[in-house]
Amino acid sequence: MGTLRLGDKAPNFDAETSEGKINFYDYLGDSWGILFSHPADYTPVCTTELGAAAKYKDEFEKRNVKMLALSVDGLESHKDWIKDINETQNTTVNFPIIADEDKKVSDLYDMIHPKADDTLTVRSVFIIAPDKTIKLMITYPASTGRNFAELLRVIDSLQLTAYHKVATPANWKEGEDVVISPSVSNEDAKKLFPKGFKEVKPYLRLTPQPNLK
Ligand code: BEZ
């Protein structure tokens, strides 16, 4: 498998997880998906990350996104560690964690970056659309826990821009104005965006988020 890039088909796999055996595509069904790796069980940053992810489960569900975590530790380790996460992060881990001891999935998704660590996965994130194409990839180092609110923000942008000819500006949040795609003429923009738009420059046109009442 070569390096994965945006727009590539997310590779399918079978895996052992803390919630039983899964086939990735069957698990995703027609939903969006977020697949995220972390370096190791029983480590401090990972413990906080999985606790944070669990607290956002409802928000991911609202957006029709299935969650799936991964580390190269084994099943028994995952199951015991989940008890610690639940206890210390005051939550219930409510999504599967892949036990990727043979590194099959980590290799498939290029989650081991040998110059950072030659055995453990880095903090990779893949967001996958219902057609199974990869829409977002980010990579954080082991030393930096991810921001799950940011991942939800990106999903809001991806889901909005999948259906409307807009893009979202820097630091955009759900409900704020968006920019009109450069490929849309002003004439078409008048029809597509009945709430109107503001032309700051011919290439910078702002309009209210189109899918809000
Ligand atoms: C952590 O999750 O705390 C961690 C994992 C691997 C290396 C450094 C930190």
Side-chain angles (χ1 to χ4, degrees):
M1 186 83 215
T3 309
L4 291 173
R5 294 192 171 147
L6 298 188
D8 286 348
K9 187 79 66 193
N12 195 15
F13 55 81
D14 293 307
E16 199 74 67
T17 82
S18 54
E19 297 187 3
K21 280 200 169 108
I22 62 157
N23 171 272
F24 189 40
Y25 279 15
D26 290 346
Y27 174 70
L28 292 177
D30 294 328
S31 301
W32 289 70
I34 180 166
L35 171 65
F36 54 103
S37 59
H38 56 267
D41 296 359
Y42 296 106
T43 49
V45 178
C46 299
T47 301
T48 61
E49 274 197 330
L50 292 206
K55 286 180 189 158
Y56 279 117
K57 171 91 181 299
D58 288 352
E59 293 296 324
F60 283 104
E61 265 182 359
K62 254 194 241 166
R63 292 161 176 84
N64 192 27
V65 181
K66 290 273 190 80
M67 304 166 76
L68 184 58
L70 173 151
S71 88
V72 295
D73 289 313
L75 213 48
E76 289 317 307
S77 163
H78 281 2
K79 286 184 177 165
D80 280 339
W81 179 47
I82 285 170
K83 292 182 202 150
D84 279 7
I85 300 170
N86 292 346
E87 176 197 324
T88 63
Q89 307 304 302
N90 193 25
T91 188
T92 303
V93 172
N94 40 18
F95 51 84
I97 307 176
I98 298 173
D100 195 35
E101 278 185 295
D102 61 4
K103 303 190 171 120
K104 191 178 77 180
V105 181
S106 315
D107 286 340
L108 201 55
Y109 279 81
D110 204 17
M111 290 165 164
I112 295 179
H113 296 200
K115 288 180 184 156
D117 189 308
D118 56 8
T119 53
L120 302 178
T121 44
V122 290
R123 299 187 196 280
S124 299
V125 183
F126 292 85
I127 293 177
I128 296 158
D131 67 359
K132 310 291 184 290
T133 56
I134 298 172
K135 293 295 179 190
L136 170 126
M137 294 164 46
I138 58 172
T139 310
Y140 275 45
S143 52
T144 305
R146 284 157 289 198
N147 181 332
F148 284 81
E150 165 62 6
L151 296 176
L152 289 167
R153 190 192 74 88
V154 177
I155 288 164
D156 286 339
S157 171
L158 286 169
Q159 294 185 339
L160 174 69
T161 59
Y163 301 110
H164 298 274
K165 290 186 173 174
V166 296
T168 59
N171 298 335
W172 173 85
K173 289 195 299 297
E174 175 77 9
E176 294 178 356
D177 287 357
V178 298
V179 296
I180 297 173
S181 301
S183 61
V184 177
S185 67
N186 275 354
E187 200 184 327
D188 287 343
K190 282 179 200 147
K191 291 180 220 136
L192 287 172
F193 305 107
K195 292 173 196 160
F197 62 91
K198 180 175 160 202
E199 184 175 304
V200 182
K201 289 279 179 192
Y203 59 84
L204 176 56
R205 296 164 298 170
L206 293 162
T207 189
Q209 185 178 324
N211 63 346
L212 294 181
K213 292 257 157 38

